[in-house]
Amino acid sequence: MSSIDRSQSAGGTRTYEVRTYGCQMNVHDSERLSGLLEDAGYVRAPEGSDGDADVVVFNTCAVRENADNKLYGNLGHLAPKKASRPGMQIAVGGCLAQKDRDTIVKRAPWVDVVFGTHNIGKLPVLLERARVQEEAQVEIAESLEAFPSTLPTRRESAYAAWVSISVGCNNTCTFCIVPALRGKEKDRRPGDILAEIEALVAEGVSEITLLGQNVNAYGSDIGDREAFSKLLRACGTIDGLERVRFTSPHPRDFTDDVIAAMAETPNVMPQLHMPLQSGSDTVLKAMRRSYRQERYLGIIEKVRAAIPHAAISTDIIVGFPGETEEDFQQTLHVVREARFAQAFTFQYSKRPGTPAAEMDGQIPKQVVQERYERLVALQEEISWEENKKQVGRTLELMVAEGEGRKDGATHRLSGRAPDSRLVHFTKPEQEVRPGDVVTVEITYAAPHHLLAEGAVLDVRRTRAGDAWEKRTAEKAAQPSGVLLGLPRVGVPEPLPAVTGGCAVD
């Protein structure tokens, strides 16, 4: 009997909770961490347990503002709980753990395990070692030990999934510390990626999002400049795979063959998230972003010509060191020209360990705030105008769960259009499950969502809906307190808010 088996037989089944901060890469890593723990015999604690699990894992981000203060605040909140519960363990992983290493245990000596971005597969072993040796285990690998997708996974959605195609980043943006923490880009073999997608589709998944720190640079590690466009086209041959998305590309690596693959592959969705960061060539140079305004707008023009209904979103940083009013006006110019469906806009703030944090010309907070408010107002106006163009269109929606916070009160359901716009629609008399597809006519537009207030035109039950129904039934059959993973959202969430980190963050 292994030591893990002995601990379980002596003290019963142990529960776990994973708290995730940051980018999609962290969300996907947390699915791996959950899978590893369940493979080792742990079960997920009920939602809302608030630190009452036997093992609490923090998957941290080093990009977000005040990330370290948030972590230590949460660790401090758990300290008295841990003191009163012999056997409880706390683990800290992710980018902040990779960056701060021994500092975490010094500032929070009640932490049992610290692990990095390259060795998440070691978590169960480190927890057991900490329990047996009764001392903190700090293990940070300097390079990737195993591609995360080779590890067990507990997927949050029954019908939509992240699929990682690469890890790491070869860029050197002056505002971003992620490449130092995630390492150089390492690509998966195309056959491994497609095998994972085919396996997911066999389980009922109908939508996948290809994930990479710089997703369209895929191929640089394996020596094929057109590897990403080939991968998109290969996804189009997988029977049962209805929707393919990807995030996040870099303008430097965005080539015409990728645009052609997007336009010519039916299940690749008409959606593109491409970070701008700034519209000023001067600021882009200071950011060490290897493109300029003309190049960026040229890509937008080509995408729109090939895919007229594409929804394009972006990331923008306001107040980067040295940014003048003229520089900011260039950003507003690009926003007007590009007409983004959505923009994630952020005020620059220093990130320790990045070159930008030491640059001259740091902008006063009040100036940054005023520019930020002007940018947000402009983008809100454009988002609303672009959404109004959707009124009268007939769209197929993949039904989601948890995306409409007012659905219960309004007797509506919610779903995502092919271009990822959020649509709230009238609940039909026919049963509709997350993962099913409905056809609706758009009747109203708001800046951040659409409404289909008339009757649903068609309902298509899908294998994805079957997968959701099966998972829900399995969850209901479990004893109280044990969750099998009812997804909280219907599809991988649209890009979370970022704070000026890497493109994927």
Side-chain angles (χ1 to χ4, degrees):
M1 180 181 290
S2 70
S3 55
I4 292 179
D5 290 335
R6 286 194 298 272
S7 70
Q8 289 172 349
S9 60
T13 303
R14 288 170 60 78
T15 59
Y16 76 90
E17 173 189 354
V18 179
R19 301 185 184 183
T20 309
Y21 305 96
C23 67
Q24 298 98 319
M25 204 65 83
N26 271 15
V27 172
H28 190 41
D29 282 350
S30 289
E31 291 184 329
R32 304 293 176 188
L33 292 170
S34 296
L36 284 161
L37 290 171
E38 293 189 6
D39 200 48
Y42 296 82
V43 297
R44 189 171 183 171
E47 288 187 30
S49 57
D50 191 26
D52 289 332
D54 297 303
V55 172
V56 179
V57 183
F58 291 89
N59 191 7
T60 64
C61 172
V63 174
R64 301 305 171 100
E65 188 171 8
N66 298 318
D68 54 347
N69 291 336
K70 176 178 261 189
L71 171 65
Y72 293 117
N74 286 323
L75 291 175
H77 175 73
L78 287 184
K81 288 191 176 185
K82 188 173 189 296
S84 66
R85 293 183 56 205
M88 180 182 176
Q89 291 182 297
I90 299 173
V92 179
C95 288
L96 194 64
Q98 187 80 21
K99 173 176 170 285
D100 287 355
R101 306 175 182 237
D102 295 333
T103 304
I104 294 173
V105 173
K106 290 177 182 177
R107 291 187 59 177
W110 54 93
V111 169
D112 299 276
V113 170
V114 178
F115 62 101
T117 59
H118 298 309
N119 63 331
I120 64 175
K122 291 287 187 67
L123 177 59
V125 172
L126 293 172
L127 286 168
E128 183 63 6
R129 191 187 301 165
R131 188 189 68 81
V132 172
Q133 297 182 7
E134 298 183 344
E135 63 180 12
Q137 302 295 309
V138 179
E139 188 169 306
I140 306 291
E142 297 301 330
S143 59
L144 192 66
E145 294 185 346
F147 205 93
S149 292
T150 64
L151 302 173
T153 305
R154 181 195 186 280
R155 304 263 179 192
E156 288 301 316
S157 170
Y159 52 90
W162 305 107
V163 176
S164 184
I165 69 171
S166 65
V167 294
C169 182
N170 294 337
N171 293 319
T172 57
C173 301
T174 55
F175 54 79
C176 185
I177 198 172
V178 170
L181 304 179
R182 291 277 182 179
K184 293 292 185 181
E185 181 178 325
K186 186 172 180 59
D187 296 334
R188 290 178 74 189
R189 295 181 1 157
D192 293 340
I193 297 169
L194 294 171
E196 180 181 355
I197 295 172
E198 289 170 350
L200 289 167
V201 171
E203 295 171 3
V205 168
S206 62
E207 176 174 319
I208 59 103
T209 301
L210 302 175
L211 185 62
Q213 218 80 41
N214 180 8
V215 70
N216 62 320
Y218 176 74
S220 62
D221 182 48
I222 57 179
D224 184 353
R225 294 288 296 174
E226 295 189 352
F228 186 61
S229 62
K230 292 174 183 175
L231 182 62
L232 290 178
R233 291 183 186 278
C235 288
T237 67
I238 298 176
D239 187 41
L241 179 59
E242 297 195 19
R243 294 187 173 192
V244 178
R245 306 185 191 276
F246 58 89
T247 194
S248 284
H250 191 293
R252 181 195 68 184
D253 302 299
F254 208 88
T255 50
D256 290 350
D257 61 297
V258 172
I259 297 173
M262 291 176 65
E264 296 166 10
T265 310
N267 63 357
V268 175
M269 294 294 97
Q271 173 206 0
L272 174 64
H273 180 85
M274 189 165 62
L276 169 66
Q277 307 303 6
S278 174
S280 163
D281 289 352
T282 301
V283 174
L284 288 170
K285 183 178 180 181
M287 289 178 167
R288 215 177 288 158
R289 301 284 287 181
S290 49
Y291 57 90
R292 298 297 178 258
Q293 179 188 119
E294 183 179 3
R295 159 75 173 158
Y296 188 94
L297 288 175
I299 294 171
I300 299 293
E301 184 178 357
K302 288 180 179 180
V303 170
R304 289 246 162 83
I307 315 167
H309 289 300
I312 301 174
S313 57
T314 195
D315 299 333
I316 301 174
I317 300 172
V318 178
F320 188 81
E323 180 189 74
T324 65
E325 176 63 24
E326 182 180 351
D327 293 323
F328 178 65
Q329 287 297 327
Q330 289 300 306
T331 295
L332 296 181
H333 169 70
V334 175
V335 170
R336 293 188 186 100
E337 290 293 310
R339 300 197 63 82
F340 299 114
Q342 186 178 20
F344 297 95
T345 53
F346 306 97
Q347 299 182 39
Y348 171 79
S349 58
K350 291 183 178 181
R351 294 295 181 269
T354 63
E358 306 301 323
M359 286 182 177
D360 295 332
Q362 302 287 329
I363 311 297
K365 171 67 176 176
Q366 62 270 26
V367 174
V368 178
Q369 179 68 35
E370 190 272 338
R371 290 177 184 170
Y372 173 79
E373 290 174 359
R374 278 190 280 158
L375 175 61
V376 168
L378 174 61
Q379 182 55 51
E380 286 278 305
E381 178 185 333
I382 292 172
S383 293
W384 199 359
E385 290 173 355
E386 291 301 305
N387 273 359
K388 287 177 181 177
K389 295 177 182 178
Q390 305 299 310
V391 174
R393 292 188 66 194
T394 299
L395 300 176
E396 277 197 339
L397 312 178
M398 179 175 286
V399 182
E401 181 178 35
E403 298 229 43
R405 289 174 295 178
K406 299 179 180 179
D407 282 354
T410 58
H411 303 291
R412 292 179 178 137
L413 298 175
S414 298
R416 290 277 171 183
D419 65 8
S420 200
R421 281 183 167 93
L422 178 63
V423 182
H424 306 301
F425 62 94
T426 302
K427 187 176 182 179
E429 293 183 7
Q430 181 179 347
E431 180 190 17
V432 177
R433 307 161 303 176
D436 287 338
V437 174
V438 299
T439 303
V440 301
E441 181 179 335
I442 304 303
T443 58
Y444 175 82
H448 303 292
H449 69 269
L450 302 171
L451 291 182
E453 300 164 298
V456 169
L457 304 178
D458 184 58
V459 174
R460 177 163 60 87
R461 292 173 68 86
T462 65
R463 291 175 59 253
D466 294 342
W468 179 89
E469 190 170 34
K470 178 181 177 182
R471 179 182 282 197
T472 303
E474 289 174 347
K475 181 249 181 184
Q478 293 299 307
S480 178
V482 178
L483 295 184
L484 278 189
L486 177 65
R488 288 168 295 178
V489 297
V491 297
E493 295 180 13
L495 285 137
V498 300
T499 53
C502 59
V504 77
D505 184 64

